[in-house]
């Protein structure tokens, strides 16, 4: 897994178990001035995105261990619809494969091999697309951060939140740090106070309800 390097835009996360493909795409993206992160497995991709949230993800459908579809679901849950996700595949090339990718939450689907100039154009288009923004305190909180915030206000400990959301306590700690920073809070008490003052629980509950539906 390669951490962000070079350029001033991005980072773009490239997830593919083909070393040669990652090297080629990485060279193209860095030449265009984008920061780059690489992962060869779904697990590495989730770890990388938790450490440094990407601005776009290029995601192979077939990965060792966690599949690209599962990684996409996790990213949608974590970052919402604002994160562009481009599926790529050299094996799942039929129309129903592309439809499945879109239904899972992908924004685009490229079949290998593809023209590099077309790929760069698609990346630029997705990065330049307008995103819906909610004004006010806590506007930049992701869906996952809202879930963690809800559980923080319920009084759950870091370990209990980790168990509830099926993530590690370390991941919960990372989310908590980001929540405090975005709210301008220095501790849990301040975060809870701001949550009630600005009605953030309403947003958190809207996120939690669909997540609990089988």
């Amino acid at each position: 897994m390669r951490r962000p390097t070079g350029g001033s835009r991005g980072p773009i996360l490239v997830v593919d178990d083909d070393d040669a493909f990652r090297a080629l795409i990485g060279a193209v993206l860095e030449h265009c001035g984008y920061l780059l992160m690489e992962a060869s497995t779904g697990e590495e991709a989730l770890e990388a995105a938790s450490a440094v949230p990407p601005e776009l993800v290029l995601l192979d459908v077939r990965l060792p261990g966690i599949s690209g579809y599962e990684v996409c679901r996790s990213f949608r849950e974590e970052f919402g619809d604002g994160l562009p996700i481009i599926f790529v595949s050299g094996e799942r090339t039929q129309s129903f494969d592309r439809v499945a990718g879109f239904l899972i939450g992908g924004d685009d689907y490229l079949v290998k091999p593809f023209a590099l100039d077309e790929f760069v154009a698609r990346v630029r288009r997705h990065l330049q697309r307008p995103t819906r923004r909610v004004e006010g305190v806590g506007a930049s909180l992701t869906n996952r951060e809202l879930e963690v915030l809800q559980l923080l206000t319920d009084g759950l400990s870091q370990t209990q939140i980790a168990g509830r959301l099926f993530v590690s306590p370390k991941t919960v700690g990372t989310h908590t740090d980001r929540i405090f920073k975005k709210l301008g809070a220095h501790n849990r008490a301040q975060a809870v106070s701001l949550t009630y003052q600005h009605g953030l629980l309403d947003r958190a509950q809207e996120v939690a309800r669909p997540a609990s539906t089988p």
Side-chain angles (χ1 to χ4, degrees), residues 20-34:
F21 176 79
R22 288 201 320 277
L24 173 62
I25 292 301
V28 170
L29 292 173
E30 289 180 336
H31 177 75
C32 293
Y34 292 103

Side-chain angles (χ1 to χ4, degrees), residues 77 143-144 147 150-151 164-166 204-214:
E77 183 179 286
N143 289 347
R144 177 61 92 182
E147 287 182 312
Q150 171 73 71
L151 298 175
R164 183 74 63 87
L165 299 180
F166 302 102
Q205 289 166 359
E206 288 176 4
V207 169
R209 278 196 294 270
S212 61
T213 302

Side-chain angles (χ1 to χ4, degrees), residues 53 78-79 136-146 149 174-186 191 194 198 200 203:
E78 177 79 16
F79 301 107
V137 173
S140 61
L141 291 173
T142 66
N143 289 347
R144 177 61 92 182
E145 288 166 353
L146 285 169
L149 181 59
T174 299
H175 288 312
T176 302
D177 289 343
R178 290 177 185 164
I179 290 169
F180 288 176
K181 182 177 179 179
K182 291 179 180 181
L183 295 182
H186 298 290
L194 289 167
H198 297 279
L200 298 179
R203 286 183 59 205

Side-chain angles (χ1 to χ4, degrees), residues 1-3 12-14 22-23 26 36-40 44 48:
M1 176 171 57
R2 192 195 309 179
R3 292 298 183 186
I12 293 174
L13 174 59
V14 179
R22 288 201 320 277
L36 179 68
M37 294 193 297
E38 292 183 18
S40 59
E44 283 188 358

Side-chain angles (χ1 to χ4, degrees), residues 94-153:
Q94 301 300 314
S95 61
F96 55 81
D97 293 317
R98 295 192 292 274
V99 170
F102 293 132
L103 291 176
I104 290 294
D107 296 291
D108 209 339
Y109 200 108
L110 291 172
V111 174
K112 300 177 183 176
F114 47 77
L116 294 178
D117 55 350
E118 178 186 352
F119 163 69
V120 172
R122 293 194 186 207
V123 166
R124 286 174 174 161
R125 177 172 62 84
H126 285 295
L127 287 175
Q128 292 170 357
R129 73 187 188 187
T131 57
R132 185 180 65 180
R133 297 187 181 277
V134 180
E135 300 299 329
V137 173
S140 61
L141 291 173
T142 66
N143 289 347
R144 177 61 92 182
E145 288 166 353
L146 285 169
E147 287 182 312
V148 173
L149 181 59
Q150 171 73 71
L151 298 175
L152 285 172
T153 58

Side-chain angles (χ1 to χ4, degrees), residues 25-63:
I25 292 301
V28 170
L29 292 173
E30 289 180 336
H31 177 75
C32 293
Y34 292 103
L35 293 167
L36 179 68
M37 294 193 297
E38 292 183 18
S40 59
T41 67
E43 290 84 355
E44 283 188 358
L46 296 175
E47 178 187 349
S50 178
V52 182
E55 289 192 14
L56 181 144
V57 178
L58 185 68
L59 180 60
D60 194 0
V61 173
R62 291 182 65 101
L63 295 169

